[in-house]
């Protein structure tokens, strides 16, 4: 469980995170979305004890990260795959992590296998790794302590399509076994595929949060009638806003039951009535953050 309550972070006159509150539940993948400069990375850094909050609290498993005994055994963190010692090999990085966490080094080989790094690759200097390989190594390190919680900032950066699919399967499996996942990503399609809950942040404030289905449900209703003009008139009479949806269909800003009832009340015969499921996460994201994007402050 991750719990963030009234979290605020100010840098002088700039408020990077503004009274943010949310929860991330066990057994679920929660997508954390927002434009550049929205406050995602700052929130995650506060959560992981790397940046102090101005006010408010952020806890993992009921405690601040710094108060967790041997935190790597409870929380796996990947915030920047490039922030690894370039002169060490991947295996050396994991062996050091295992030593610091008091874990048997056999776990290192297990995690290398999980993330798909070969023995040859694991013994290569990190300066010679591609970004995708660094991401895999970072995920191996995050999983090394067999944690209950994962906090991952843009973990799919640099991965090829097969790697992204592997990542999706890994996170889904972790959550299905009861783990808690907070995932930040700009790959909206991947968030839509893997996330159970979604949190959208803009200009340092939460602009929307809920289950994926709840947030996308507002896409409205696609409706088509034998008499398009009569349908327009029926919807207008019942106060339902609609717009042309193409091929004679209308896109109404109401639930299908409301639209169907309006048509029936005015004697309009319908030939199509269904939830408009084509908006998708990208449209929802752009709609919610259009007025909130902020480029001048680092996320």
């Amino acid at each position: 469980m991750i719990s963030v309550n009234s979290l605020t972070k100010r840098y002088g006159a700039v408020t990077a995170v503004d009274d943010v509150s949310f929860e991330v539940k066990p057994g679920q993948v929660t997508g954390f979305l927002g434009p550049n400069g929205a406050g995602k990375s700052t929130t995650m850094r506060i959560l992981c004890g790397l940046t102090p909050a101005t006010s408010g609290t952020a806890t993992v498993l009921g405690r601040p990260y710094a108060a967790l005994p041997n935190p790597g055994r409870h929380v796996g963190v990947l915030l920047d795959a490039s922030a690894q010692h370039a002169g060490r090999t991947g295996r050396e990085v994991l062996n050091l992590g295992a030593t610091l966490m008091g874990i048997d080094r056999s776990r290192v080989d297990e995690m290398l296998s999980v993330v798909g790094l070969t023995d040859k690759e694991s013994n290569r200097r990190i300066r010679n790794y591609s970004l995708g390989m660094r991401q895999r190594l970072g995920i191996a390190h995050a999983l090394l302590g067999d944690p209950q919680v994962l906090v991952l900032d843009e973990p799919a950066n640099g991965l090829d399509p097969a790697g992204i699919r592997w990542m999706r399967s890994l996170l889904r499996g972790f959550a299905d076994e009861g783990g808690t996942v907070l995932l930040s990503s700009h790959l909206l399609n991947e968030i839509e595929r893997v996330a159970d809950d979604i949190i959208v942040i803009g200009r340092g404030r939460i602009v929307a949060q809920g289950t994926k289905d709840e947030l996308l449900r507002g896409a409205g209703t696609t409706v088509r009638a034998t008499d398009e003009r009569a349908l327009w008139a029926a919807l207008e009479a019942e106060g339902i806003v609609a717009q042309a949806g193409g091929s004679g269909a209308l896109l109404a800003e109401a639930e299908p039951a409301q639209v169907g009832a309006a048509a029936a009340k005015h004697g309009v015969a319908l030939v199509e009535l269904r939830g408009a499921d084509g908006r998708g996460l990208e449209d929802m994201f752009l709609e919610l953050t259009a007025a909130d994007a902020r480029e001048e402050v680092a996320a």
Side-chain angles (χ1 to χ4, degrees):
M1 169 73 80
I2 293 172
S3 182
V4 174
N5 292 294
S6 301
L7 194 66
T8 297
K9 177 62 181 179
R10 297 188 184 91
Y11 295 96
V14 175
T15 302
V17 178
D18 189 0
D19 195 29
V20 163
S21 297
F22 62 83
E23 286 190 347
V24 182
K25 301 173 184 177
Q28 295 186 339
V29 177
T30 297
F32 194 29
L33 303 178
N36 291 337
K40 300 188 307 296
S41 295
T42 299
T43 300
M44 296 175 95
R45 287 180 60 83
I46 293 171
L47 178 64
C48 297
L50 297 174
T51 298
T54 303
S55 62
T57 61
T59 60
V60 188
L61 301 173
R63 303 185 186 185
Y65 181 89
L68 292 169
N70 199 351
R73 299 293 295 268
H74 304 282
V75 186
V77 177
L78 175 58
L79 298 184
D80 184 357
S82 297
Q84 299 168 353
H85 195 301
R88 292 195 175 115
T89 67
R91 182 175 294 275
E92 286 172 345
V93 166
L94 295 182
N95 281 335
L96 179 58
T99 298
L100 292 174
M101 285 185 259
I103 300 169
D104 191 285
R105 288 194 176 186
S106 62
R107 179 76 176 170
V108 170
D109 289 319
E110 182 182 347
M111 290 302 97
L112 286 169
S113 177
V114 165
V115 302
L117 288 176
T118 66
D119 188 60
K120 181 178 180 180
E121 290 169 336
S122 72
N123 288 301
R124 190 182 302 172
R125 300 293 174 188
I126 292 175
R127 67 168 59 93
N128 298 316
Y129 276 21
S130 67
L131 177 56
M133 291 173 66
R134 293 186 188 210
Q135 292 285 19
R136 289 177 181 268
L137 178 63
I139 293 165
H141 195 281
L143 294 170
L144 192 60
D146 193 20
Q148 299 163 258
V149 178
L150 289 177
V151 178
L152 309 174
D153 193 4
E154 301 284 0
N157 275 358
L159 294 179
D160 59 19
I164 292 173
R165 185 173 183 178
W166 160 80
M167 168 80 68
R168 188 195 313 148
S169 177
L170 176 73
L171 298 182
R172 185 70 268 161
F174 183 87
D176 288 346
E177 292 179 2
T180 302
V181 181
L182 179 61
L183 170 67
S184 164
S185 178
H186 69 281
L187 299 174
L188 303 185
N189 183 54
E190 289 308 311
I191 289 287
E192 188 167 3
R193 290 190 181 197
V194 74
D196 303 294
D197 290 345
I198 295 173
I199 300 164
V200 185
I201 188 171
R203 200 173 290 276
R205 298 183 66 88
I206 301 298
V207 296
Q209 60 180 310
T211 68
K212 179 172 59 180
D213 290 342
E214 287 171 346
L215 293 182
L216 297 181
R217 190 180 298 147
T221 298
T222 295
V223 59
R224 194 190 316 266
T226 53
D227 186 336
E228 184 179 348
R229 288 186 179 180
L231 177 58
W232 275 109
L235 296 178
E236 184 176 2
E238 298 304 313
I240 296 175
V241 177
Q243 59 184 338
S247 302
L250 303 183
L251 180 60
E253 296 180 12
E255 294 295 315
Q258 295 174 274
V259 175
K265 180 177 178 180
H266 293 270
V268 178
L270 300 181
V271 295
E272 182 178 9
L273 179 67
R274 61 180 175 83
D277 54 3
R279 181 174 69 153
L281 186 58
E282 182 177 19
D283 289 342
M284 182 273 289
F285 172 80
L286 292 173
E287 176 185 318
L288 290 172
T289 62
D292 295 312
R294 182 180 64 209
E295 297 290 344
E296 67 268 22
V297 178

